Amino acid sequence: MVMEIAPGINQVKVPIPDNPLGFLNCYLVAGKDGWLMVDTGWHTQEALNALEAGLHQLGLVFTDIETIVVTHVHADHFGLAGKLKQLSPQTKLLTHRWEWALIESRYIKFAELQTQIGALLHKHGVPDSDIPALKSASMPVLEFVTITMPDEPLYGGEIISTGVYDLEVFWTPGHSPGHICLYEPQNQLLFAGDHILPKITASVGFHVQSGDNPLGDYLYALQKLENLPVTQVLPAHEHVFSDLRGRIQEILRHHDRRKEEMRRLIEEQPRAAYEIASRVAWDVPLIWEQFPSQHRRSAVTETIAHLEYMRREGTVTRIKSGDQFLYKANIAIPLP
Ligand SMILES: [Zn+2]
């Protein structure tokens, strides 16, 4: 249940029931006066029990957690934070400023955000009949989040010291606008959140809260980490791995292939992002019509992210057609 990564640095697997990811990897780092937790899992009794059992194995209880850092506020990372704060009111919660800013709109007053997402999906060609399901596709996670507000914001560049270990904050937007990674230099460990996972690639979608070029932000944030001396990468899902540089290269190639695949689809004629998304060979063994709405929505927002990235590269043009956007590949003019 508990895996020791380095002296005083441990991984606890917290189950995410009925989810293909299976587990959230929660990390516990020893401190002088208390422990630091990285990511919490989402709030179910099963997850809470697993966390409690993990702490127990280390001889700890919830009140021994001095600080919780969440890499981003997606439900599987942040969901249990509110419950943990109820059980241990002294514990401080830290997250990036831009993640803090999302909590209210995502988990408290979400009607407005859903309307904006619906409008965005319409603009990108999602059929009206499909919009209600797609815009509310992330609603089921609400029941797994116990809301709390952070105690202090992070911006990137800080050193969070536990008194035993110093963790440097790297701002790594893309998967979420305020996603952070933590670097521990003594053991050369990178707490990677969802930014870099060993097998699956993090979803990077264009969203009303993502900024105008989330894929550009993401790729730049990969570069920030590329030359760090890292012996072990500690991701929030799947397994610990060592070849950070190799994995970054693989992820870069993945996005290059995706861009090229999408560009080809609009060489002959302009198409809306929804139509392009329906023709991409996603790594899901289902035909487009059978994609669950959550997957269909990520497919569309990931497609927009790639198209908007290519617009900034100058390889794709966006055309306004009525109240919708179409994209067309630019033909390279051969040099004389
Ligand atoms: Zn996430």
Side-chain angles (χ1 to χ4, degrees):
M1 168 97 74
V2 175
M3 182 172 89
E4 186 180 71
I5 310 280
I9 300 182
N10 302 278
Q11 182 198 67
V12 180
K13 287 207 170 283
V14 183
I16 313 176
D18 303 322
N19 186 288
L21 289 171
F23 293 91
L24 176 282
N25 298 326
C26 164
Y27 295 95
L28 293 162
V29 180
K32 204 157 75 59
D33 304 314
W35 287 62
L36 179 139
M37 175 184 281
V38 183
D39 288 336
T40 67
W42 67 9
H43 191 183
T44 63
Q45 192 57 46
E46 197 184 344
L48 188 64
N49 292 347
L51 209 48
E52 192 170 24
L55 288 170
H56 184 77
Q57 236 179 293
L58 295 166
L60 304 173
V61 291
F62 289 121
T63 48
D64 291 317
I65 309 298
E66 189 183 25
T67 310
I68 299 172
V69 181
V70 292
T71 58
H72 60 302
V73 299
H74 287 173
D76 49 332
H77 302 257
F78 166 71
L80 256 173
K83 181 66 185 174
L84 296 179
K85 290 270 288 180
Q86 286 167 17
L87 295 167
S88 173
Q90 314 307 327
T91 303
K92 269 195 184 164
L93 175 65
L94 311 180
T95 195
H96 192 277
R97 189 75 189 92
W98 298 143
E99 292 300 297
W100 189 336
L102 303 179
I103 295 170
E104 185 174 85
S105 62
R106 300 259 174 118
Y107 298 122
I108 305 170
K109 298 177 186 162
F110 41 80
E112 167 72 20
L113 181 62
Q114 283 203 28
T115 307
Q116 291 172 1
I117 293 171
L120 174 83
L121 295 172
H122 171 77
K123 225 190 275 179
H124 287 280
V126 176
D128 287 344
S129 57
D130 215 6
I131 286 180
L134 261 59
K135 76 173 182 188
S136 56
S138 55
M139 292 302 286
V141 301
L142 281 176
E143 65 171 300
F144 302 116
V145 178
T146 301
I147 295 148
T148 184
M149 287 299 167
D151 296 288
E152 283 172 28
L154 297 168
Y155 294 88
E158 297 89 342
I159 310 269
I160 304 170
S161 182
T162 68
V164 175
Y165 288 113
D166 288 343
L167 303 169
E168 184 177 352
V169 179
F170 280 77
W171 178 39
T172 52
H175 175 64
S176 193
H179 189 290
I180 55 166
C181 293
L182 298 172
Y183 179 63
E184 193 286 290
Q186 271 187 59
N187 296 287
Q188 304 189 331
L189 305 176
L190 180 69
F191 297 85
D194 282 355
H195 187 52
I196 303 173
L197 300 167
K199 292 269 176 272
I200 48 176
T201 46
S203 154
V204 178
F206 185 99
H207 184 272
V208 292
Q209 295 170 323
S210 68
D212 58 11
N213 187 15
L215 184 58
D217 296 340
Y218 177 74
L219 298 176
Y220 177 62
L222 286 179
Q223 274 181 39
K224 286 189 194 179
L225 306 177
E226 205 176 4
N227 296 312
L228 274 180
V230 169
T231 54
Q232 292 190 86
V233 182
L234 316 181
H237 304 286
E238 304 185 307
H239 54 84
V240 173
F241 64 101
S242 56
D243 185 10
L244 174 67
R245 279 184 150 199
R247 182 60 187 140
I248 289 177
Q249 291 309 316
E250 268 175 22
I251 296 171
L252 294 175
R253 281 197 296 274
H254 164 85
H255 288 290
D256 276 344
R257 280 196 303 271
R258 270 279 186 271
K259 273 164 40 191
E260 183 53 23
E261 181 182 10
M262 291 175 185
R263 203 189 58 78
R264 286 229 186 95
L265 290 167
I266 48 173
E267 264 180 342
E268 301 295 322
Q269 63 175 104
R271 296 182 201 274
Y274 178 81
E275 198 193 341
I276 300 166
S278 72
R279 291 162 187 249
V280 165
W282 302 104
D283 314 317
V284 183
L286 293 172
I287 58 163
W288 178 251
E289 288 71 23
Q290 294 171 334
F291 275 35
S293 45
Q294 175 75 53
H295 283 172
R296 240 173 22 253
R297 174 163 130 186
S298 332
V300 174
T301 60
E302 285 178 36
T303 300
I304 305 169
H306 284 88
L307 293 164
E308 287 296 321
Y309 182 86
M310 286 190 278
R311 263 183 85 206
R312 283 153 185 79
E313 283 184 322
T315 50
V316 157
T317 298
R318 190 174 76 189
I319 304 159
K320 203 160 182 286
S321 161
D323 62 351
Q324 298 195 326
F325 289 139
L326 303 178
Y327 291 88
K328 173 97 172 68
N330 295 334
I331 306 302
I333 301 163
L335 292 168

